[in-house]
mmCIF file of all heavy atoms in Angstrom:
data_model
loop_
_atom_site.group_PDB
_atom_site.id
_atom_site.type_symbol
_atom_site.label_atom_id
_atom_site.label_comp_id
_atom_site.label_asym_id
_atom_site.label_seq_id
_atom_site.Cartn_x
_atom_site.Cartn_y
_atom_site.Cartn_z
ATOM 1 N N SER A 1173 7.688 39.191 -43.609
ATOM 2 C CA SER A 1173 9.134 39.338 -43.414
ATOM 3 C C SER A 1173 9.454 40.350 -42.320
ATOM 4 O O SER A 1173 10.449 40.208 -41.612
ATOM 5 C CB SER A 1173 9.817 39.734 -44.716
ATOM 6 O OG SER A 1173 9.338 40.997 -45.149
ATOM 7 N N TYR A 1174 8.622 41.361 -42.156
ATOM 8 C CA TYR A 1174 8.831 42.361 -41.098
ATOM 9 C C TYR A 1174 8.775 41.691 -39.734
ATOM 10 O O TYR A 1174 9.616 41.946 -38.880
ATOM 11 C CB TYR A 1174 7.786 43.472 -41.195
ATOM 12 C CG TYR A 1174 7.813 44.426 -40.031
ATOM 13 C CD1 TYR A 1174 8.765 45.445 -39.978
ATOM 14 C CD2 TYR A 1174 6.922 44.305 -38.978
ATOM 15 C CE1 TYR A 1174 8.812 46.323 -38.908
ATOM 16 C CE2 TYR A 1174 6.965 45.172 -37.901
ATOM 17 C CZ TYR A 1174 7.906 46.178 -37.872
ATOM 18 O OH TYR A 1174 7.946 47.032 -36.802
ATOM 19 N N TYR A 1175 7.770 40.852 -39.527
ATOM 20 C CA TYR A 1175 7.619 40.173 -38.242
ATOM 21 C C TYR A 1175 8.769 39.212 -37.987
ATOM 22 O O TYR A 1175 9.300 39.123 -36.884
ATOM 23 C CB TYR A 1175 6.278 39.444 -38.174
ATOM 24 C CG TYR A 1175 5.110 40.393 -38.108
ATOM 25 C CD1 TYR A 1175 4.300 40.608 -39.201
ATOM 26 C CD2 TYR A 1175 4.832 41.099 -36.941
ATOM 27 C CE1 TYR A 1175 3.230 41.491 -39.130
ATOM 28 C CE2 TYR A 1175 3.770 41.982 -36.865
ATOM 29 C CZ TYR A 1175 2.973 42.176 -37.964
ATOM 30 O OH TYR A 1175 1.932 43.043 -37.907
ATOM 31 N N LEU A 1176 9.169 38.476 -39.013
ATOM 32 C CA LEU A 1176 10.283 37.539 -38.851
ATOM 33 C C LEU A 1176 11.596 38.270 -38.577
ATOM 34 O O LEU A 1176 12.387 37.843 -37.738
ATOM 35 C CB LEU A 1176 10.418 36.650 -40.083
ATOM 36 C CG LEU A 1176 9.361 35.562 -40.221
ATOM 37 C CD1 LEU A 1176 9.546 34.800 -41.520
ATOM 38 C CD2 LEU A 1176 9.412 34.613 -39.046
ATOM 39 N N ASP A 1177 11.810 39.368 -39.260
ATOM 40 C CA ASP A 1177 13.022 40.156 -39.048
ATOM 41 C C ASP A 1177 13.066 40.690 -37.619
ATOM 42 O O ASP A 1177 14.108 40.633 -36.956
ATOM 43 C CB ASP A 1177 13.079 41.299 -40.059
ATOM 44 C CG ASP A 1177 14.374 42.074 -39.991
ATOM 45 O OD1 ASP A 1177 15.452 41.433 -40.022
ATOM 46 O OD2 ASP A 1177 14.317 43.321 -39.904
ATOM 47 N N SER A 1178 11.944 41.189 -37.140
ATOM 48 C CA SER A 1178 11.873 41.688 -35.761
ATOM 49 C C SER A 1178 12.160 40.573 -34.765
ATOM 50 O O SER A 1178 12.892 40.773 -33.786
ATOM 51 C CB SER A 1178 10.492 42.280 -35.482
ATOM 52 O OG SER A 1178 10.253 43.385 -36.309
ATOM 53 N N ALA A 1179 11.579 39.409 -35.000
ATOM 54 C CA ALA A 1179 11.790 38.276 -34.093
ATOM 55 C C ALA A 1179 13.257 37.850 -34.089
ATOM 56 O O ALA A 1179 13.818 37.563 -33.024
ATOM 57 C CB ALA A 1179 10.897 37.109 -34.498
ATOM 58 N N GLN A 1180 13.887 37.830 -35.258
ATOM 59 C CA GLN A 1180 15.292 37.436 -35.334
ATOM 60 C C GLN A 1180 16.181 38.408 -34.565
ATOM 61 O O GLN A 1180 17.107 37.997 -33.857
ATOM 62 C CB GLN A 1180 15.750 37.367 -36.793
ATOM 63 C CG GLN A 1180 15.174 36.179 -37.534
ATOM 64 C CD GLN A 1180 15.480 36.232 -39.025
ATOM 65 O OE1 GLN A 1180 15.720 37.292 -39.594
ATOM 66 N NE2 GLN A 1180 15.445 35.081 -39.666
ATOM 67 N N LYS A 1181 15.908 39.693 -34.671
ATOM 68 C CA LYS A 1181 16.699 40.686 -33.940
ATOM 69 C C LYS A 1181 16.520 40.508 -32.435
ATOM 70 O O LYS A 1181 17.481 40.605 -31.671
ATOM 71 C CB LYS A 1181 16.285 42.091 -34.356
ATOM 72 C CG LYS A 1181 16.727 42.456 -35.759
ATOM 73 C CD LYS A 1181 16.199 43.810 -36.172
ATOM 74 C CE LYS A 1181 16.581 44.120 -37.613
ATOM 75 N NZ LYS A 1181 15.976 45.365 -38.096
ATOM 76 N N LEU A 1182 15.298 40.227 -32.018
ATOM 77 C CA LEU A 1182 15.049 40.050 -30.594
ATOM 78 C C LEU A 1182 15.708 38.786 -30.049
ATOM 79 O O LEU A 1182 16.151 38.769 -28.905
ATOM 80 C CB LEU A 1182 13.548 40.020 -30.319
ATOM 81 C CG LEU A 1182 12.891 41.391 -30.315
ATOM 82 C CD1 LEU A 1182 11.384 41.254 -30.207
ATOM 83 C CD2 LEU A 1182 13.417 42.240 -29.178
ATOM 84 N N VAL A 1183 15.765 37.750 -30.855
ATOM 85 C CA VAL A 1183 16.428 36.518 -30.410
ATOM 86 C C VAL A 1183 17.898 36.800 -30.103
ATOM 87 O O VAL A 1183 18.429 36.340 -29.089
ATOM 88 C CB VAL A 1183 16.284 35.390 -31.467
ATOM 89 C CG1 VAL A 1183 17.228 34.239 -31.182
ATOM 90 C CG2 VAL A 1183 14.847 34.900 -31.526
ATOM 91 N N VAL A 1184 18.531 37.579 -30.950
ATOM 92 C CA VAL A 1184 19.939 37.929 -30.732
ATOM 93 C C VAL A 1184 20.088 38.770 -29.460
ATOM 94 O O VAL A 1184 20.951 38.503 -28.617
ATOM 95 C CB VAL A 1184 20.505 38.685 -31.953
ATOM 96 C CG1 VAL A 1184 21.890 39.239 -31.661
ATOM 97 C CG2 VAL A 1184 20.545 37.775 -33.174
#
Side-chain angles (χ1 to χ4, degrees):
S1173 63
Y1174 172 80
Y1175 291 105
L1176 286 177
D1177 186 50
S1178 297
Q1180 288 172 336
K1181 289 175 183 174
L1182 282 173
V1183 166
V1184 171

